[in-house]
Amino acid sequence: MAVSAAGALTLLVLAAGCGGEPADGARPGAAPGASRSGGHPGSPDKRQPEGASVAPSASCGVDANLVPSCGAWLGIWPRTTASGAKSTDLRGNLAGIERRLGQPITLVSRYYGWNQLPADATDQAWRDSDHLVLMDLRARDFGTDRYTSWASIAAGDHDAYLRKVGRRLADYGAPVLFSFNQEPEQELERGSSVAGSAKDFAAAYRHVHDVVVAAGAHNVRFVWWVMGSMGHTAWYPDLYPGDGYVDWVSYDPYDFNTCHRTDPETPAQSVLPFLHWLAHSGLGDGKPVMLSEFGSNGSARGDWYRGLGELVRKTTRIRGLISFDSSVAGCDTRVTSTDDNWSGFRSIATDPYFRPPYPGGAR
């Protein structure tokens, strides 16, 4: 685990039934004008995923790193209303989506910019309704679009702020998944002058981890969250902060399709190449995997989402997946915007495999 045993969560296998946001239209991680590489060039990996899926049952539990013992968490970034209109009312959006679905969605993601303080009132409301929240803190001020260099973070120049973040997370009083600067490839694509080098990122990640934990946030589990682009594999060994600092490995498979003028991809072509690369590289060996953003821009998105659910059921290292329910810069992955999109997402959400019991956490 990325924290000491003294901070182990109290929810070990106890299931009896198992800031502000970026400006409207802005992708939370990307600066205006930043490119978003992705997809997986080259021949698709034709190997089949290993493992047999098991539907959650009353005997399922949750371990100290928030990994369900069977099944996988389904989540959403609720950037739209239930009818697909974009809205910054994240709490209201999620409530409406859950009403349309007829059931709760366990996992919810948030994106925080530098100088913001998670967890806010929205996170607290989700905590109190037994949602599990994944929070990312990016080294970019969403208001000014100014970056804080990763090297200065690693050097301790911002520890006063990070201690506040750690205390806020500790005071949250429930389990939380936490990421530092998701998809750092976005900065690296624009050059090391933007935020630093891959090694600078890893050093900053380790320092953020240490300061947050020292502030008492033993309820936090740390997520190393990257694009998972096969075009960036040379960066990943330097971006990886080390097994002692990572509880989950996460990446973002997309069928970019028409929005990037790339060839259509099946779920297997979007998901499996990086997963197989991880296995071969040894990075994060044995750690659970999350798909922290997913979406399709194809013409048959309902079928793509249904196929994704089927793939994840067969790929048991993947223990969580989150819909990026938004549209940004010509890429539209809203699962709420059409009946076809919704039917595909609903097929995942109503599958018991993606509804492992979540016991919540002590307040």
Side-chain angles (χ1 to χ4, degrees):
M1 295 191 305
V3 297
S4 67
L9 300 176
T10 59
L11 52 73
L12 279 167
V13 197
L14 56 80
C18 170
E21 296 295 321
D24 187 26
R27 190 176 186 281
S35 69
R36 159 72 184 180
S37 71
H40 305 288
S43 299
D45 193 322
K46 296 185 182 302
R47 291 176 299 171
Q48 294 302 308
E50 297 178 355
S53 63
V54 178
S57 69
S59 63
C60 290
V62 182
D63 76 10
N65 285 330
L66 302 176
V67 183
S69 62
C70 48
W73 305 124
L74 175 64
I76 194 167
W77 185 47
R79 190 61 168 77
T80 76
T81 66
S83 61
K86 289 182 69 173
S87 165
T88 57
D89 178 14
L90 301 183
R91 186 177 174 187
N93 293 347
L94 180 64
I97 291 169
E98 290 180 329
R99 282 194 298 271
R100 181 179 179 185
L101 191 61
Q103 65 184 51
I105 298 171
T106 303
L107 184 57
V108 193
S109 56
R110 293 295 307 275
Y111 299 86
Y112 283 95
W114 202 249
N115 295 319
Q116 293 180 318
L117 289 172
D120 66 8
T122 295
D123 299 321
Q124 293 164 14
W126 286 338
R127 171 202 65 192
D128 293 342
S129 54
D130 288 330
H131 291 84
L132 175 61
V133 184
L134 166 62
M135 306 177 194
D136 179 75
L137 177 63
R138 195 171 205 86
R140 179 170 69 87
D141 187 306
F142 289 159
T144 65
D145 194 35
R146 294 183 60 182
Y147 283 89
T148 296
S149 76
W150 295 329
S152 69
I153 294 170
D157 296 349
H158 308 278
D159 282 6
Y161 164 61
L162 290 174
R163 282 192 289 269
K164 290 180 182 178
V165 171
R167 288 193 291 268
R168 286 277 292 244
L169 292 171
D171 291 344
Y172 186 67
V176 62
L177 294 165
F178 183 78
S179 162
F180 170 67
N181 208 120
Q182 57 93 231
E183 294 192 352
E185 304 98 317
Q186 291 186 39
E187 286 84 355
L188 294 176
E189 286 175 343
R190 299 166 62 199
S192 60
S193 63
V194 175
S197 68
K199 290 183 178 180
D200 291 335
F201 167 81
Y205 179 114
R206 288 189 291 267
H207 190 75
V208 170
H209 171 285
D210 290 347
V211 174
V212 166
V213 172
H218 301 295
N219 54 319
V220 171
R221 293 297 177 265
F222 288 82
V223 179
W224 182 64
W225 180 352
V226 295
M227 289 181 183
S229 168
M230 295 304 290
H232 294 331
T233 54
W235 286 335
Y236 294 132
D238 287 339
L239 285 169
Y240 191 67
D243 287 347
Y245 294 87
V246 175
D247 296 307
W248 287 73
V249 171
S250 184
Y251 65 103
D252 298 341
Y254 282 98
D255 170 30
F256 286 107
N257 211 305
T258 56
C259 80
H260 283 188
R261 298 182 180 179
T262 57
D263 291 337
E265 290 187 342
T266 65
Q269 290 171 322
S270 297
V271 172
L272 294 182
F274 185 68
L275 189 65
H276 289 152
W277 182 88
L278 278 175
H280 293 153
S281 73
L283 288 186
D285 188 36
K287 295 186 182 295
V289 167
M290 182 184 300
L291 311 179
S292 290
E293 294 178 7
F294 71 81
S296 172
N297 295 273
S299 59
R301 301 177 196 186
D303 287 342
W304 196 92
Y305 294 128
R306 278 183 285 273
L308 178 67
E310 293 169 1
L311 177 70
V312 172
R313 283 184 62 101
K314 299 174 183 177
T315 312
T316 54
R317 189 178 176 188
I318 300 174
R319 309 314 290 270
L321 68 165
I322 301 176
S323 165
F324 191 79
D325 182 40
S326 189
S327 61
V328 179
C331 294
D332 188 346
T333 56
R334 293 173 296 163
V335 295
T336 50
S337 62
T338 71
D339 288 343
D340 180 54
N341 294 3
W342 180 255
S343 69
F345 176 73
R346 191 177 189 281
S347 74
I348 303 175
T350 57
D351 184 337
Y353 186 81
F354 299 102
R355 300 175 63 191
Y358 178 58
R363 309 289 187 259

